[in-house]
PDB file of all heavy atoms in Angstrom:
ATOM      1  N   ARG A  14     175.987 143.078  24.304  1.00 46.00           N
ATOM      2  CA  ARG A  14     176.198 144.156  23.342  1.00 46.00           C
ATOM      3  C   ARG A  14     175.946 143.678  21.923  1.00 46.00           C
ATOM      4  O   ARG A  14     175.386 144.402  21.097  1.00 46.00           O
ATOM      5  CB  ARG A  14     177.621 144.688  23.485  1.00 46.00           C
ATOM      6  CG  ARG A  14     177.848 145.497  24.755  1.00 46.00           C
ATOM      7  CD  ARG A  14     179.304 145.851  24.917  1.00 46.00           C
ATOM      8  NE  ARG A  14     179.520 146.710  26.091  1.00 46.00           N
ATOM      9  CZ  ARG A  14     180.716 147.021  26.565  1.00 46.00           C
ATOM     10  NH1 ARG A  14     181.805 146.540  25.968  1.00 46.00           N
ATOM     11  NH2 ARG A  14     180.831 147.804  27.624  1.00 46.00           N
ATOM     12  N   THR A  15     176.381 142.443  21.637  1.00 42.00           N
ATOM     13  CA  THR A  15     176.161 141.886  20.302  1.00 42.00           C
ATOM     14  C   THR A  15     174.681 141.743  20.008  1.00 42.00           C
ATOM     15  O   THR A  15     174.195 142.123  18.942  1.00 42.00           O
ATOM     16  CB  THR A  15     176.855 140.516  20.172  1.00 42.00           C
ATOM     17  OG1 THR A  15     178.249 140.682  20.410  1.00 42.00           O
ATOM     18  CG2 THR A  15     176.648 139.925  18.788  1.00 42.00           C
ATOM     19  N   ARG A  16     173.929 141.190  20.987  1.00 42.00           N
ATOM     20  CA  ARG A  16     172.483 141.042  20.806  1.00 42.00           C
ATOM     21  C   ARG A  16     171.822 142.391  20.620  1.00 42.00           C
ATOM     22  O   ARG A  16     170.944 142.563  19.780  1.00 42.00           O
ATOM     23  CB  ARG A  16     171.869 140.301  22.005  1.00 42.00           C
ATOM     24  CG  ARG A  16     172.175 138.808  22.042  1.00 42.00           C
ATOM     25  CD  ARG A  16     171.262 138.111  23.031  1.00 42.00           C
ATOM     26  NE  ARG A  16     171.426 138.623  24.383  1.00 42.00           N
ATOM     27  CZ  ARG A  16     172.298 138.146  25.265  1.00 42.00           C
ATOM     28  NH1 ARG A  16     173.103 137.156  24.923  1.00 42.00           N
ATOM     29  NH2 ARG A  16     172.384 138.648  26.482  1.00 42.00           N
ATOM     30  N   SER A  17     172.258 143.382  21.431  1.00 44.00           N
ATOM     31  CA  SER A  17     171.666 144.725  21.317  1.00 44.00           C
ATOM     32  C   SER A  17     171.940 145.315  19.948  1.00 44.00           C
ATOM     33  O   SER A  17     171.051 145.908  19.319  1.00 44.00           O
ATOM     34  CB  SER A  17     172.232 145.633  22.407  1.00 44.00           C
ATOM     35  OG  SER A  17     171.726 146.940  22.289  1.00 44.00           O
ATOM     36  N   GLY A  18     173.180 145.134  19.450  1.00 45.00           N
ATOM     37  CA  GLY A  18     173.510 145.638  18.124  1.00 45.00           C
ATOM     38  C   GLY A  18     172.707 144.974  17.038  1.00 45.00           C
ATOM     39  O   GLY A  18     172.226 145.630  16.105  1.00 45.00           O
ATOM     40  N   MET A  19     172.528 143.654  17.153  1.00 43.00           N
ATOM     41  CA  MET A  19     171.728 142.924  16.171  1.00 43.00           C
ATOM     42  C   MET A  19     170.286 143.385  16.207  1.00 43.00           C
ATOM     43  O   MET A  19     169.653 143.562  15.157  1.00 43.00           O
ATOM     44  CB  MET A  19     171.819 141.422  16.445  1.00 43.00           C
ATOM     45  CG  MET A  19     173.179 140.817  16.151  1.00 43.00           C
ATOM     46  SD  MET A  19     173.256 139.073  16.613  1.00 43.00           S
ATOM     47  CE  MET A  19     171.999 138.387  15.538  1.00 43.00           C
ATOM     48  N   GLN A  20     169.743 143.597  17.419  1.00 49.00           N
ATOM     49  CA  GLN A  20     168.357 144.040  17.534  1.00 49.00           C
ATOM     50  C   GLN A  20     168.180 145.427  16.919  1.00 49.00           C
ATOM     51  O   GLN A  20     167.204 145.688  16.215  1.00 49.00           O
ATOM     52  CB  GLN A  20     167.935 144.029  19.003  1.00 49.00           C
ATOM     53  CG  GLN A  20     167.770 142.624  19.579  1.00 49.00           C
ATOM     54  CD  GLN A  20     167.560 142.642  21.078  1.00 49.00           C
ATOM     55  OE1 GLN A  20     167.703 143.667  21.730  1.00 49.00           O
ATOM     56  NE2 GLN A  20     167.215 141.495  21.637  1.00 49.00           N
ATOM     57  N   ASN A  21     169.137 146.340  17.196  1.00 50.00           N
ATOM     58  CA  ASN A  21     169.037 147.679  16.622  1.00 50.00           C
ATOM     59  C   ASN A  21     169.115 147.621  15.101  1.00 50.00           C
ATOM     60  O   ASN A  21     168.369 148.327  14.400  1.00 50.00           O
ATOM     61  CB  ASN A  21     170.153 148.564  17.178  1.00 50.00           C
ATOM     62  CG  ASN A  21     169.947 148.923  18.638  1.00 50.00           C
ATOM     63  OD1 ASN A  21     168.818 148.895  19.118  1.00 50.00           O
ATOM     64  ND2 ASN A  21     171.016 149.241  19.338  1.00 50.00           N
ATOM     65  N   SER A  22     170.019 146.787  14.588  1.00 57.00           N
ATOM     66  CA  SER A  22     170.145 146.640  13.142  1.00 57.00           C
ATOM     67  C   SER A  22     168.863 146.082  12.540  1.00 57.00           C
ATOM     68  O   SER A  22     168.404 146.547  11.488  1.00 57.00           O
ATOM     69  CB  SER A  22     171.327 145.723  12.810  1.00 57.00           C
ATOM     70  OG  SER A  22     171.406 145.486  11.429  1.00 57.00           O
ATOM     71  N   GLN A  23     168.281 145.085  13.204  1.00 64.00           N
ATOM     72  CA  GLN A  23     167.042 144.496  12.700  1.00 64.00           C
ATOM     73  C   GLN A  23     165.904 145.503  12.729  1.00 64.00           C
ATOM     74  O   GLN A  23     165.086 145.533  11.810  1.00 64.00           O
ATOM     75  CB  GLN A  23     166.679 143.255  13.512  1.00 64.00           C
ATOM     76  CG  GLN A  23     167.504 142.036  13.157  1.00 64.00           C
ATOM     77  CD  GLN A  23     166.847 140.747  13.611  1.00 64.00           C
ATOM     78  OE1 GLN A  23     165.986 140.744  14.482  1.00 64.00           O
ATOM     79  NE2 GLN A  23     167.257 139.647  13.023  1.00 64.00           N
ATOM     80  N   HIS A  24     165.836 146.331  13.772  1.00 68.00           N
ATOM     81  CA  HIS A  24     164.761 147.314  13.827  1.00 68.00           C
ATOM     82  C   HIS A  24     164.926 148.369  12.744  1.00 68.00           C
ATOM     83  O   HIS A  24     163.941 148.839  12.179  1.00 68.00           O
ATOM     84  CB  HIS A  24     164.695 147.949  15.222  1.00 68.00           C
ATOM     85  CG  HIS A  24     163.898 147.157  16.206  1.00 68.00           C
ATOM     86  ND1 HIS A  24     164.401 146.045  16.840  1.00 68.00           N
ATOM     87  CD2 HIS A  24     162.620 147.282  16.636  1.00 68.00           C
ATOM     88  CE1 HIS A  24     163.476 145.535  17.635  1.00 68.00           C
ATOM     89  NE2 HIS A  24     162.385 146.265  17.534  1.00 68.00           N
ATOM     90  N   ARG A  25     166.176 148.748  12.454  1.00 81.00           N
ATOM     91  CA  ARG A  25     166.390 149.676  11.340  1.00 81.00           C
ATOM     92  C   ARG A  25     165.961 149.042  10.027  1.00 81.00           C
ATOM     93  O   ARG A  25     165.314 149.685   9.192  1.00 81.00           O
ATOM     94  CB  ARG A  25     167.858 150.098  11.292  1.00 81.00           C
ATOM     95  CG  ARG A  25     168.270 151.079  12.387  1.00 81.00           C
ATOM     96  CD  ARG A  25     169.620 151.695  12.089  1.00 81.00           C
ATOM     97  NE  ARG A  25     170.685 150.699  12.113  1.00 81.00           N
ATOM     98  CZ  ARG A  25     171.374 150.365  13.190  1.00 81.00           C
ATOM     99  NH1 ARG A  25     171.105 150.938  14.350  1.00 81.00           N
ATOM    100  NH2 ARG A  25     172.343 149.467  13.119  1.00 81.00           N
ATOM    101  N   SER A  26     166.307 147.773   9.843  1.00 89.00           N
ATOM    102  CA  SER A  26     165.889 147.061   8.628  1.00 89.00           C
ATOM    103  C   SER A  26     164.387 146.930   8.569  1.00 89.00           C
ATOM    104  O   SER A  26     163.783 147.067   7.501  1.00 89.00           O
ATOM    105  CB  SER A  26     166.542 145.677   8.582  1.00 89.00           C
ATOM    106  OG  SER A  26     167.945 145.759   8.466  1.00 89.00           O
ATOM    107  N   ALA A  27     163.752 146.680   9.727  1.00 93.00           N
ATOM    108  CA  ALA A  27     162.297 146.540   9.763  1.00 93.00           C
ATOM    109  C   ALA A  27     161.618 147.825   9.334  1.00 93.00           C
ATOM    110  O   ALA A  27     160.656 147.814   8.554  1.00 93.00           O
ATOM    111  CB  ALA A  27     161.843 146.140  11.163  1.00 93.00           C
ATOM    112  N   GLY A  28     162.104 148.964   9.835  1.00 94.00           N
ATOM    113  CA  GLY A  28     161.529 150.235   9.429  1.00 94.00           C
ATOM    114  C   GLY A  28     161.696 150.491   7.949  1.00 94.00           C
ATOM    115  O   GLY A  28     160.775 150.987   7.279  1.00 94.00           O
ATOM    116  N   ARG A  29     162.859 150.130   7.418  1.00 95.00           N
ATOM    117  CA  ARG A  29     163.092 150.315   5.986  1.00 95.00           C
ATOM    118  C   ARG A  29     162.163 149.423   5.171  1.00 95.00           C
ATOM    119  O   ARG A  29     161.612 149.848   4.146  1.00 95.00           O
ATOM    120  CB  ARG A  29     164.549 149.993   5.666  1.00 95.00           C
ATOM    121  CG  ARG A  29     164.928 150.244   4.206  1.00 95.00           C
ATOM    122  CD  ARG A  29     166.370 149.880   3.961  1.00 95.00           C
ATOM    123  NE  ARG A  29     166.738 150.068   2.560  1.00 95.00           N
ATOM    124  CZ  ARG A  29     167.851 149.602   2.017  1.00 95.00           C
ATOM    125  NH1 ARG A  29     168.720 148.936   2.759  1.00 95.00           N
ATOM    126  NH2 ARG A  29     168.106 149.806   0.743  1.00 95.00           N
ATOM    127  N   ILE A  30     161.981 148.185   5.638  1.00 95.00           N
ATOM    128  CA  ILE A  30     161.100 147.257   4.921  1.00 95.00           C
ATOM    129  C   ILE A  30     159.673 147.781   4.871  1.00 95.00           C
ATOM    130  O   ILE A  30     159.015 147.757   3.829  1.00 95.00           O
ATOM    131  CB  ILE A  30     161.153 145.861   5.582  1.00 95.00           C
ATOM    132  CG1 ILE A  30     162.483 145.183   5.257  1.00 95.00           C
ATOM    133  CG2 ILE A  30     159.980 144.992   5.119  1.00 95.00           C
ATOM    134  CD1 ILE A  30     162.720 143.906   6.042  1.00 95.00           C
ATOM    135  N   VAL A  31     159.170 148.271   6.000  1.00 95.00           N
ATOM    136  CA  VAL A  31     157.803 148.806   6.039  1.00 95.00           C
ATOM    137  C   VAL A  31     157.670 149.983   5.075  1.00 95.00           C
ATOM    138  O   VAL A  31     156.689 150.075   4.316  1.00 95.00           O
ATOM    139  CB  VAL A  31     157.429 149.217   7.471  1.00 95.00           C
ATOM    140  CG1 VAL A  31     156.109 149.991   7.484  1.00 95.00           C
ATOM    141  CG2 VAL A  31     157.319 147.989   8.371  1.00 95.00           C
ATOM    142  N   ASP A  32     158.645 150.877   5.068  1.00 95.00           N
ATOM    143  CA  ASP A  32     158.589 152.026   4.155  1.00 95.00           C
ATOM    144  C   ASP A  32     158.597 151.568   2.694  1.00 95.00           C
ATOM    145  O   ASP A  32     157.868 152.123   1.853  1.00 95.00           O
ATOM    146  CB  ASP A  32     159.760 152.963   4.416  1.00 95.00           C
ATOM    147  CG  ASP A  32     159.631 153.714   5.731  1.00 95.00           C
ATOM    148  OD1 ASP A  32     158.504 153.776   6.263  1.00 95.00           O
ATOM    149  OD2 ASP A  32     160.656 154.219   6.230  1.00 95.00           O
ATOM    150  N   LEU A  33     159.420 150.573   2.374  1.00 95.00           N
ATOM    151  CA  LEU A  33     159.500 150.082   1.003  1.00 95.00           C
ATOM    152  C   LEU A  33     158.199 149.412   0.570  1.00 95.00           C
ATOM    153  O   LEU A  33     157.751 149.571  -0.574  1.00 95.00           O
ATOM    154  CB  LEU A  33     160.676 149.112   0.859  1.00 95.00           C
ATOM    155  CG  LEU A  33     162.072 149.735   0.881  1.00 95.00           C
ATOM    156  CD1 LEU A  33     163.148 148.659   1.026  1.00 95.00           C
ATOM    157  CD2 LEU A  33     162.314 150.566  -0.380  1.00 95.00           C
ATOM    158  N   ILE A  34     157.596 148.664   1.470  1.00 95.00           N
ATOM    159  CA  ILE A  34     156.308 148.027   1.147  1.00 95.00           C
ATOM    160  C   ILE A  34     155.252 149.092   0.879  1.00 95.00           C
ATOM    161  O   ILE A  34     154.467 148.992  -0.077  1.00 95.00           O
ATOM    162  CB  ILE A  34     155.867 147.077   2.274  1.00 95.00           C
ATOM    163  CG1 ILE A  34     156.819 145.877   2.363  1.00 95.00           C
ATOM    164  CG2 ILE A  34     154.437 146.583   2.032  1.00 95.00           C
ATOM    165  CD1 ILE A  34     156.561 144.981   3.549  1.00 95.00           C
ATOM    166  N   HIS A  35     155.227 150.116   1.721  1.00 94.00           N
ATOM    167  CA  HIS A  35     154.283 151.214   1.476  1.00 94.00           C
ATOM    168  C   HIS A  35     154.567 151.876   0.137  1.00 94.00           C
ATOM    169  O   HIS A  35     153.631 152.299  -0.566  1.00 94.00           O
ATOM    170  CB  HIS A  35     154.378 152.252   2.596  1.00 94.00           C
ATOM    171  CG  HIS A  35     153.757 151.823   3.881  1.00 94.00           C
ATOM    172  ND1 HIS A  35     152.549 151.175   3.956  1.00 94.00           N
ATOM    173  CD2 HIS A  35     154.187 151.953   5.173  1.00 94.00           C
ATOM    174  CE1 HIS A  35     152.248 150.929   5.230  1.00 94.00           C
ATOM    175  NE2 HIS A  35     153.227 151.383   5.985  1.00 94.00           N
ATOM    176  N   GLY A  36     155.827 151.969  -0.247  1.00 94.00           N
ATOM    177  CA  GLY A  36     156.163 152.562  -1.526  1.00 94.00           C
ATOM    178  C   GLY A  36     155.588 151.791  -2.694  1.00 94.00           C
ATOM    179  O   GLY A  36     155.159 152.367  -3.701  1.00 94.00           O
ATOM    180  N   VAL A  37     155.549 150.460  -2.583  1.00 94.00           N
ATOM    181  CA  VAL A  37     155.025 149.615  -3.657  1.00 94.00           C
ATOM    182  C   VAL A  37     153.501 149.524  -3.602  1.00 94.00           C
ATOM    183  O   VAL A  37     152.814 149.653  -4.631  1.00 94.00           O
ATOM    184  CB  VAL A  37     155.633 148.203  -3.586  1.00 94.00           C
ATOM    185  CG1 VAL A  37     155.014 147.284  -4.648  1.00 94.00           C
ATOM    186  CG2 VAL A  37     157.147 148.262  -3.773  1.00 94.00           C
ATOM    187  N   LEU A  38     152.954 149.309  -2.412  1.00 93.00           N
ATOM    188  CA  LEU A  38     151.526 149.004  -2.274  1.00 93.00           C
ATOM    189  C   LEU A  38     150.682 150.200  -1.841  1.00 93.00           C
ATOM    190  O   LEU A  38     149.455 150.130  -1.884  1.00 93.00           O
ATOM    191  CB  LEU A  38     151.334 147.856  -1.273  1.00 93.00           C
ATOM    192  CG  LEU A  38     152.043 146.547  -1.617  1.00 93.00           C
ATOM    193  CD1 LEU A  38     151.761 145.504  -0.541  1.00 93.00           C
ATOM    194  CD2 LEU A  38     151.609 146.031  -2.986  1.00 93.00           C
ATOM    195  N   GLY A  39     151.332 151.266  -1.407  1.00 91.00           N
ATOM    196  CA  GLY A  39     150.587 152.429  -0.949  1.00 91.00           C
ATOM    197  C   GLY A  39     150.436 152.427   0.565  1.00 91.00           C
ATOM    198  O   GLY A  39     150.483 151.378   1.213  1.00 91.00           O
ATOM    199  N   LEU A  40     150.276 153.617   1.114  1.00 90.00           N
ATOM    200  CA  LEU A  40     150.092 153.784   2.548  1.00 90.00           C
ATOM    201  C   LEU A  40     148.627 154.080   2.835  1.00 90.00           C
ATOM    202  O   LEU A  40     148.053 155.012   2.277  1.00 90.00           O
ATOM    203  CB  LEU A  40     150.966 154.933   3.063  1.00 90.00           C
ATOM    204  CG  LEU A  40     150.769 155.351   4.521  1.00 90.00           C
ATOM    205  CD1 LEU A  40     151.104 154.193   5.458  1.00 90.00           C
ATOM    206  CD2 LEU A  40     151.623 156.575   4.843  1.00 90.00           C
TER     207      LEU A  40
END
């Protein structure tokens, strides 16, 4: 459960990071 929670948290962070990069550099 801990690993699953960490993975879900990381995937949410990953999606946010991609969106933020697109915000700076363009999509």
Side-chain angles (χ1 to χ4, degrees):
R14 288 173 176 171
T15 301
R16 287 194 300 271
S17 178
M19 290 176 62
Q20 289 171 350
N21 289 337
S22 176
Q23 283 199 340
H24 275 79
R25 286 193 295 271
S26 295
R29 184 181 178 193
I30 287 171
V31 170
D32 289 342
L33 287 168
I34 293 173
H35 286 317
V37 176
L38 302 180
L40 173 62

